[in-house]
Amino acid sequence: MTIEEQQTRQPILTWLKGFGMGAADVVPGFSGGTVALLTGIYEELVTAISHFDKTLVGHLAKFDLRAAARHINFPFLAMLILGIGCGFITSMLTIHKLLKSPETSPYVFAVFAGLILGSSRFLWRAIQKIRAIGPGEIVLMLIGVGVAAGISSLTETLVVNPPLWFIFMCAVIAICAMILPGISGAMMLMIFGVYHYLLGIGDNVIHARELPRSLTICVTFGLGCAVGLIGFSRFLKWLFATRPAGTMCVLFGLMLGSVVRLWPYQPIKEVTPTTPAVWVVLTVIISAVIIIAATEYADRKSSTKK
């Protein structure tokens, strides 16, 4: 592949990865952070977000837009955010409806569970490149699994007409969860009881209903996301710089622990899924694992030929 082809392809790939992140954030138990980790852009994303700092403010104060763009890796962030937005809206209009249907929700969960299990090999190899996996690394993985499984088992509540300060705090916590693989922002919003409420607000905005109130809630939620995202990304950047192997092990465990929430036979709130045959669900999960494995094999073959 020529340099020109790589430069043309890179923004498209970044958009597609962002699309996957946005689509994943609608599914309780699956997070955009998981997609970022599996597609190899996790550290780049965390670093770019953490650069929303005093240096950026200095560049903007001097109207040095080129330096500001370089500092935050603007081309990467712009395409990623565009993809996230498109993926989120598409998923909200499609996957969310499938999750609400008793006939289809078990199969949607099965597909995502299979994707996580099949993709776990990527992270395992990435950790091995940093450090040989020993008892300490296994313990950190198990801690991650326990945390994700514990959070996944919490019961969903329901809050009616929450105040703005509560929406702001939910946004701060949910966006931090979104960055972490295995703890999805959607799942945290369900635990706090505002998941369905906020989906209704999004639907109001799309259909231009109750716009003043709906837009106020959207702005409040967005501000909370910005505060949580910038603050938490700096902490993650520090962890990657000081404890890369340990950080990856915990993230790996968080990702695997999320399968508890994605288990097809676990009903979600206000939905009583029909119970499909075990062999059908296992077939869906195994098919997703095979697709991931085949994709990985083809990618390695392609890389070897270059």
Side-chain angles (χ1 to χ4, degrees):
M1 183 181 295
T2 65
I3 295 177
E4 289 77 10
E5 288 174 331
Q6 290 179 344
Q7 291 175 341
T8 302
R9 185 180 178 185
Q10 190 62 37
I12 298 175
L13 290 176
T14 301
W15 184 89
L16 288 173
K17 292 172 182 179
F19 188 94
M21 290 177 63
D25 283 324
V26 176
V27 182
F30 203 69
S31 73
T34 300
V35 176
L37 196 62
L38 296 176
T39 54
I41 61 171
Y42 193 82
E43 288 190 61
E44 185 178 7
L45 174 61
V46 169
T47 299
I49 296 172
S50 68
H51 283 176
F52 281 78
D53 51 16
K54 293 181 180 179
T55 302
L56 175 63
V57 174
H59 289 318
L60 293 176
K62 297 175 184 177
F63 295 98
D64 191 348
L65 300 182
R66 182 172 297 178
R70 283 198 304 269
H71 185 65
I72 62 172
N73 197 358
F74 179 77
F76 166 76
L77 276 184
M79 291 304 298
L80 192 70
I81 291 173
L82 181 61
I84 290 173
C86 293
F88 185 85
I89 293 173
T90 302
S91 184
M92 189 171 66
L93 297 175
T94 56
I95 294 179
H96 179 65
K97 291 183 179 179
L98 294 176
L99 287 172
K100 291 179 68 176
S101 170
E103 290 76 22
T104 57
S105 60
Y107 302 105
V108 175
F109 281 126
V111 169
F112 282 102
L115 291 177
I116 286 181
L117 293 174
S119 303
S120 61
R121 297 174 58 198
F122 299 155
L123 282 185
W124 185 267
R125 289 201 188 98
I127 296 170
Q128 286 181 317
K129 289 180 180 179
I130 301 174
R131 180 188 301 172
I133 297 175
E137 285 69 33
I138 297 297
V139 169
L140 289 174
M141 290 178 187
L142 291 176
I143 290 174
V145 170
V147 170
I151 292 177
S152 299
S153 64
L154 294 177
T155 305
E156 180 186 359
T157 56
L158 183 63
V159 177
V160 180
N161 294 323
L164 292 179
W165 67 265
F166 186 73
I167 291 175
F168 180 87
M169 292 305 301
C170 288
V172 171
I173 296 172
I175 200 67
C176 292
M178 188 197 78
I179 300 178
L180 290 173
I183 307 179
S184 74
M187 184 169 62
M188 295 305 298
L189 292 176
M190 289 182 74
I191 292 170
F192 287 120
V194 296
Y195 177 74
H196 297 288
Y197 175 80
L198 290 174
L199 281 178
I201 294 297
D203 188 63
N204 286 345
V205 172
I206 292 174
H207 294 92
R209 295 193 300 259
E210 303 179 15
L211 277 183
R213 170 176 164 274
S214 298
L215 289 176
T216 300
I217 293 172
C218 287
V219 170
T220 302
F221 188 82
L223 290 175
C225 288
V227 171
L229 195 61
I230 294 172
F232 193 58
S233 63
R234 293 181 181 178
F235 175 65
L236 284 175
K237 182 184 177 183
W238 175 80
L239 285 178
F240 274 113
T242 58
R243 300 286 188 274
T247 302
M248 289 292 289
C249 287
V250 174
L251 294 178
F252 181 80
L254 289 172
M255 187 186 75
L256 288 184
S258 67
V259 176
V260 173
R261 179 62 182 174
L262 293 169
W263 183 240
Y265 292 107
Q266 178 176 319
I268 58 176
K269 190 73 174 179
E270 297 179 357
V271 174
T272 306
T274 56
T275 305
V278 174
W279 72 268
V280 176
V281 170
L282 289 178
T283 300
V284 174
I285 294 176
I286 293 172
S287 298
V289 171
I290 292 174
I291 290 172
I292 292 296
T295 302
E296 179 194 10
Y297 177 79
D299 184 62
R300 278 191 294 159
K301 281 288 186 181
S302 176
S303 300
T304 303
K305 292 179 181 179
K306 292 179 182 179

